[in-house]
Amino acid sequence: MAGEESSPDSATKNIDKLEGQWRLHEAYNELHGLAQEFDTPFDAPAVLVVGHQTDGKSALVEALMGFQFNHVGGGTKTRRPITLHMKYNPECDTPLCHLLSDSDPSVSHEKSLQDIQAYIEAENMRLEKETCQFSAKEIIIRIEYKYCPNLTIIDTPGLVAPAPSRKNRALQAQARAVESLVRAKMQHRELIILCLEDCNDWSNATTRRVVMQIDPELSRTVVVATKLDTKIPQFARASDVEVFLSPPASTLDGFMLGDSPFFTSVPSGRVGFGPESVFRSNDEFKQAISSREVEDLVALEEKLGRALSKQERSRIGVNSLRLFLEELLLKRYMDSVPSIIPLLEKEYRSSTRKLSELDQQLSTLNEAKLKEKGRTFHDLFLTKLSLLLKGTVIAPPDKFGETLQDERVNGGAFIGSDGLQFPHKLIPNAGMRLYGGAQYHRAMAEFRFVVGGIKCPPITREEIVNACGVEDIHDGTNYSRTACVIAVAKARDTFEPFLHQLGCRLSHILKRLLPIAVYLLQKEGEYLSGHDVFLRRVADAFNNFAESTEKSCREKCMEDLVSTTRYVTWSLHNKNRAGLRQFLDSFGGSEQSAIIGNSTSTGLSQDLSTASVASDNKQDVKPRTDVKLSHLASGNDSNMSTQTTETRLADLLDSTLWNRRLAPSSERIVYALVQQIFHGIREYFLASTELKFNCFLLMPVVDKLPAMLREDLESAFEDNLDNVFDITNLRHSVAQDKRQTEIELKRVQKLKEKFRYIHEQLNSQQAMFGQ
C-alpha cells in the first residue's frame, strides 16, 4: 500500500519539478527578449552555436530541436542570428511557433514552419542586396514541441574560409563580416559557446581558432565533432579512434565544458512528402537520429575492439549533447537567479526615475517655463565660454584638446609663398593638447614666430628696371620711387595670405569652444536635453557670430595692410636708418675716397630720406643738385677739391639718374631701400594685426556675444516660440518615450515578480532536501 501511495506523490513531485523548470525557462526567455529590445545589461544564459558553413551546423540545430525548419546545404543560409527559445511541451504534436516582431519584440505572431522559413529566406535575400550583407539583430522564435528540449539556442551565420586569391575578394570581405559578427556575439560572457568542428584530427583547429580568440581557455565552450558517421570508416587502427575520442591535453588544450568533446551524427535527408524527401514526418526524423546514435556506438566498439565506457557513451550522440546542454543551462539559470533579482530591481528604479523625469519634462512644456529655461541656459553657456577663455582643466584634454599638428590640419597652417611650414616643434607647447584661451595664445605666438621671421623676397634686375618706368616730365630715373614700388608689391603679396590664414585658424579655435562648453554643461547637469531645435539655434547663432566677427576683424586688418602698402611714410621705416646709412657709407667708400665718398653718400641718403611715392621730385631735381653742389663747394678750400667733388657727383648722377644701364651701385641702393621699407611694413603689420584680432575678435566674445545671443533669443521668443523649441514634436517625442518607458516598467515588474517567485521556490526546495 505504501508503494502504491508513494507512486502518485512521486509523479506529482515530478510534474511540479517540471513546471518549475518551465517557469524558470520561460522567465529567462522573457529576460532575453527584454535585454534585446531595450539593450539592458541582463545576463540571460543561452547556447551560442558557432561553426563553419560545412560543419553541419544547421543540421545539428534541427536535430536538437527535434524537427526541421530551415534549409540545410552549402552556401550562406543564415545572414542574421536566429534565437530559438525552445520549450518542451508533451501536448504539442506539431511544433507551435511564434515569431517575435522586429519593431516590437514584446509582440509575437503565431506562424507555421513554412511561414518562418519564408521569412528567413526573405531576410537573407534583403541583406544580400545591401552593402553590409549581415546583421547582428537577432530573429527571435519561440517554439513549443513534444521533442523540444528546454533550451535557448542562438544560431549564428556560418564562418567562411575563402581561398587567398584576388578572385575571391568578395568572399573574403564576407568572411571578415561574418567573423566580426560572431566574435561580437561571443563577447557576451553569459553565453555558452557550442563550437563545431568537422575534423578527424584535433590538431586542425578551424572553428576553435576563432573561438579561442574570445575564450582562450575554452572555459565556457562545449566542443562538438560533427559528422561522426563519416569519420569512423576513415580510422584504420583502434589507436586512432582512441586518440580521437580522448584527445591528449597537448592536442586539445584548455578547460572545456564537459572535460572532453562531444561526437554527433545527423542522418541526411529532409522531411516531406515529395519524391526527394527521406522522412515522412518529424517522428521519423527523430527516430532516425536515435537509430544513428546506436549505429555509431556499434561501429566505434567494432573499431576499438572493446566496449565503450559509460563516460564515453555519455559523449556520443545528439541526445547526449542535448541532455548535457539542458542540465548545464538549467544550472546556469538557477545559479543566476539570485543575481538577476537585484539587476531587475536596479532596472526598475532606473525606469521609474526616467518616467518621473519624462512627466516633469511634459509639465514644463509651457511658454513661460520654456522661456525661463532658455534664458537660464543662455547665461550658463556664456559662463562656460568665459571660463574656457580664461583657462580651465575640467574638460579632458585627451578628448577636446588639439596639438599644434592637429590644429594645423583642422584649422589651416601658416604657409608662406615658398609653400613651407614653420617646424611645429620650435613653437612653445606644440605637443600639448590645448583648447580655449591657451590654444588661442599658442596660435597667435606661432603667427608672431612665422611672420616675424619673414625676409624680403629676392629682387631681380628685371623688376628694378620695370619699376623705373618713365616720368611725365623727364626721362630720368627715381630710385627712391623704384624702391617703394617694389617694396609695397612684395609686402602685399607676402603678408595678405597670412592674414587670411590667421583668421581661419582663430575662427576654428573659437568654434571649438561650443562642443566643449556643451560638455561642461552636460557634466554639471545643466544641459537642455531633448530641446534639439533650441540648441541648434544657439549653436548656429554662436557660429555665425564667430564667422562674422572674424570677417569684420580681418577686413580691418586688411585696411591697415592696404594703407601701409599704398603710401610709404618714411617715418615708419627709419627705425633701421643707422644701418642704411652705414650701408650707404660703405658703398660710397668703395666708389670714391673716404672723405668725398662719405659726404656724397650722406647727401644722397638725406635726399632719399625725404622722398615719397606721391611726389616724384619732378621739378626739384635740378635745384637739389645745385644746392648739393654749392654746399660741397663751400665746404672745401681748394678749387681742385671742389672740381673733383663735382666731377664725382656728376659721375654718380650719370649712373643713377640719367643712365638707364643698371649699375651695381644703383642695384645695391635699391635693394637696401626695399629691405628697409619691407621690414618696416612687416613690423607694423605684425603689431597691428595682433592688436586688432585681440580687440575685434577675442574681446567681442566677452562683451558683444552675450547681448547678441540675448537679442536673438528674445526676438525668437516674440516671433514664434514653437520655432525655437519645436513644442509640438517635442511633446510627441516625450509622450512616445513615456509610453515606451511605461511598457518597459511593466515588463520589468512582471519579470521581477516571476524571478522572486522562482527564487522562493528554489529556496523552499533546498530547505526540503536539507531536512
Side-chain angles (χ1 to χ4, degrees), residues 27 49 64 71 78 112 192 237 260 262 308 374 421 591 666 700:
V49 185
L64 288 171
H71 278 311
T78 309
S112 66
I192 300 165
R237 297 173 299 179
S260 67
F262 283 80
L308 293 168
Q421 294 185 34
E591 295 291 332
S666 303

Side-chain angles (χ1 to χ4, degrees), residues 387-405:
L387 180 64
L388 289 170
L389 289 174
K390 292 176 181 177
T392 181
V393 294
I394 300 177
D398 57 341
K399 183 176 182 181
F400 294 106
E402 282 186 334
T403 63
L404 183 57
Q405 196 66 19

Side-chain angles (χ1 to χ4, degrees), residues 118-129:
Y119 176 77
I120 294 173
E121 289 176 358
E123 280 297 287
N124 286 343
M125 292 177 64
R126 177 183 67 82
L127 289 169
E128 191 174 357
K129 297 175 183 177

Side-chain angles (χ1 to χ4, degrees), residues 173-215:
Q174 177 179 310
R176 288 191 295 270
V178 173
E179 185 169 329
S180 176
L181 187 153
V182 173
R183 283 165 57 91
K185 287 291 181 185
M186 288 192 294
Q187 294 283 358
H188 297 277
R189 300 192 61 82
E190 74 275 8
L191 298 180
I192 300 165
I193 302 171
L194 195 66
C195 173
L196 307 188
E197 295 277 20
D198 179 13
C199 65
N200 57 8
D201 184 356
W202 289 111
S203 56
N204 295 324
T206 52
T207 306
R208 276 175 293 142
R209 176 191 62 80
V210 179
V211 171
M212 293 182 74
Q213 293 175 19
I214 307 300
D215 184 22

Side-chain angles (χ1 to χ4, degrees), residues 40 48 92 131 197 209 238 263 300 309-310 363 385 434 528 541 568 600 647 728 738:
T40 48
L48 184 74
C92 286
T131 305
E197 295 277 20
R209 176 191 62 80
F263 305 88
L300 284 171
S309 66
K310 184 178 180 181
S363 67
L385 287 180
L434 304 181
L528 285 179
V568 175
T600 303
T647 302
T728 304
K738 182 182 177 182

Side-chain angles (χ1 to χ4, degrees), residues 344-357:
L344 288 168
E345 291 281 2
K346 182 180 177 181
E347 186 66 22
Y348 184 82
R349 289 193 300 270
S350 175
S351 298
T352 304
R353 184 169 57 253
K354 182 180 177 182
L355 191 61
S356 176
E357 291 172 355

Side-chain angles (χ1 to χ4, degrees), residues 9-20:
D9 292 340
S10 177
T12 303
K13 287 181 180 179
N14 287 336
I15 292 173
D16 290 341
K17 181 180 178 182
L18 193 60
E19 287 180 352

